[in-house]
Amino acid sequence: MSEYGEHSLWRDTATASRERARDLAARLERRAKAVDEVAARDAYLGLLAITAGDHVLEVGCGSGAVTRDIARRIGSRGRAVGLDPSSELLA
């Protein structure tokens, strides 16, 4: 299966059924825990220079793995908001 175009698992997630969205969210969460993904995310967020108290919007947040990391970086004085067209992925 191609990861691009009409055969991508990630295409049209906004209309995904609850079952499909839960499967996709589980995949995102498993990937988010992988050592190489944690390191890449840490490096990426480091480049953004997010600091305590910042307000950050993540568009297309999927299951929210990156948004949660952002929230930890900004602390209780900041605000992290994740948006995704799939209400089922957000659930």
Side-chain angles (χ1 to χ4, degrees), residues 17-68:
S17 67
R18 175 174 285 162
E19 180 180 322
R20 181 168 169 254
R22 285 184 180 175
D23 175 61
L24 293 172
R27 288 171 186 251
L28 290 171
E29 291 299 314
R30 276 192 307 273
R31 187 169 70 186
K33 293 175 185 172
V35 173
D36 59 336
E37 289 287 332
V38 171
R41 191 168 53 250
D42 187 53
Y44 168 72
L45 293 177
L47 291 172
L48 295 176
I50 296 168
T51 59
D54 284 350
H55 292 100
V56 179
L57 171 64
E58 181 189 7
V59 177
C61 68
S63 64
V66 176
T67 306
R68 291 190 304 272

Side-chain angles (χ1 to χ4, degrees), residues 3-25:
E3 278 302 306
Y4 302 99
E6 66 185 71
H7 299 292
S8 173
L9 290 173
W10 307 102
R11 182 181 171 128
D12 300 328
T13 59
T15 60
S17 67
R18 175 174 285 162
E19 180 180 322
R20 181 168 169 254
R22 285 184 180 175
D23 175 61
L24 293 172

Side-chain angles (χ1 to χ4, degrees), residues 60-78:
C61 68
S63 64
V66 176
T67 306
R68 291 190 304 272
D69 272 357
I70 291 168
R72 283 189 282 277
R73 287 174 181 252
I74 62 175
S76 61
R77 293 188 343 239

